Amino acid sequence: MGFKLLEPYEGKLSRTVLRGESGSNPADLPDKSLASPLMADYILFLFKTVRKFWGEVIVVTQELGDIIGNAIVKESIISNSDSVCLLDQRKFRDNYADIAALLSISEVERRKIFSINQLDNQGGRGPFKEVYIRRGSVGEVYGIEVSLAQYLCYTTEKPEKRAVEHYRSRFGSYEEAIKRFIGDFLSSGKDLGGFVALVNSELSFSV
């Protein structure tokens, strides 16, 4: 599946990413730092200055309170963000009205957002996740599909990391480990979760 090209967007871009799922580790909004008046002034200065030089500030958070409970976020970050990227939002569904109001998300856009990772469209494909990207008032859901080798390089799931590390310790390099891992996985007839569990169970038994 190819990516859908986005049309050029005229304007000074900043981006806010609201992460609803676990398992990834980009730098999040610093809660305690945001509570500091000094940091608050710095964040406001940062956004305004970067935009003047046609730069882009990227903010990532997975905590609902970071978005709806902090005046600095509302007044300096959200108001200066022309692009919004949303991952799986199901954990926020029961109180999504607050986020929808803050980000000016219409009912039509909300239905798009809650379709993320819910469609039966992953059969026979590589590791696949979806993301909602909005610039202006209208957004779309895009599929992000990578090869299994790419996925294993960057996975943050502990059982998968442990299984890959076991192969690396056996074969000396990550490149060789991933090649061997994929070869054994494809010949095993199991799904990825089942194969990872098998590798880790054998590792635990050997220890």
Side-chain angles (χ1 to χ4, degrees):
M1 176 180 177
F3 289 101
K4 179 180 177 182
L5 294 178
L6 300 175
E7 293 297 324
Y9 184 84
E10 296 181 359
K12 301 173 181 178
L13 296 180
S14 288
R15 192 170 4 172
T16 295
V17 180
L18 179 56
R19 192 173 77 230
E21 54 189 19
S22 61
S24 54
N25 299 294
D28 293 335
L29 278 175
D31 301 342
K32 294 181 179 179
S33 297
L34 281 174
S36 163
L38 183 61
M39 178 60 78
D41 290 341
Y42 170 72
I43 291 174
L44 183 59
F45 167 80
L46 175 66
F47 267 80
K48 290 184 174 180
T49 303
V50 169
R51 283 167 59 88
K52 287 179 181 178
F53 289 92
W54 298 93
E56 180 176 14
V57 179
I58 300 175
V59 177
V60 179
T61 182
Q62 65 183 36
E63 295 301 328
L64 181 63
D66 291 346
I67 293 292
I68 65 176
N70 192 294
I72 302 304
V73 175
K74 290 182 180 180
E75 295 170 11
S76 64
I77 296 178
I78 297 299
S79 62
N80 286 291
S81 294
D82 301 288
S83 301
V84 175
C85 304
L86 304 176
L87 302 186
D88 198 321
Q89 300 290 290
R90 280 173 291 174
K91 67 178 288 187
F92 299 139
R93 190 163 197 150
D94 291 341
N95 51 358
Y96 209 70
D98 293 329
I99 296 177
L102 181 62
L103 299 179
S104 301
I105 298 173
S106 68
E107 185 59 37
V108 171
E109 297 302 297
R110 194 185 305 196
R111 286 197 292 270
K112 295 179 187 177
I113 292 166
F114 285 114
S115 75
I116 293 174
N117 298 329
Q118 297 301 296
L119 301 179
D120 185 18
N121 60 353
Q122 299 188 21
R125 306 177 72 162
F128 182 79
K129 289 283 188 177
E130 293 180 332
V131 58
Y132 170 87
I133 301 175
R134 188 189 77 187
R135 293 191 294 178
S137 60
V138 178
E140 298 293 344
V141 176
Y142 297 87
I144 309 299
E145 183 176 358
V146 299
S147 70
L148 181 56
Q150 289 173 309
Y151 176 81
L152 293 173
C153 283
Y154 297 104
T155 180
T156 58
E157 298 295 333
K158 289 183 178 180
E160 294 170 353
K161 289 173 63 176
R162 186 166 183 251
V164 171
E165 182 60 30
H166 171 57
Y167 270 74
R168 187 210 60 80
S169 66
R170 286 179 58 192
F171 298 108
S173 72
Y174 282 105
E175 182 177 4
E176 185 65 23
I178 288 173
K179 288 180 182 178
R180 299 281 189 138
F181 184 102
I182 292 174
D184 290 348
F185 163 61
L186 293 177
S187 63
S188 72
K190 297 180 177 293
D191 62 18
L192 182 59
F195 180 70
V196 166
L198 177 63
V199 171
N200 287 332
S201 66
E202 291 178 349
L203 178 60
S204 297
F205 181 76
S206 65
V207 172

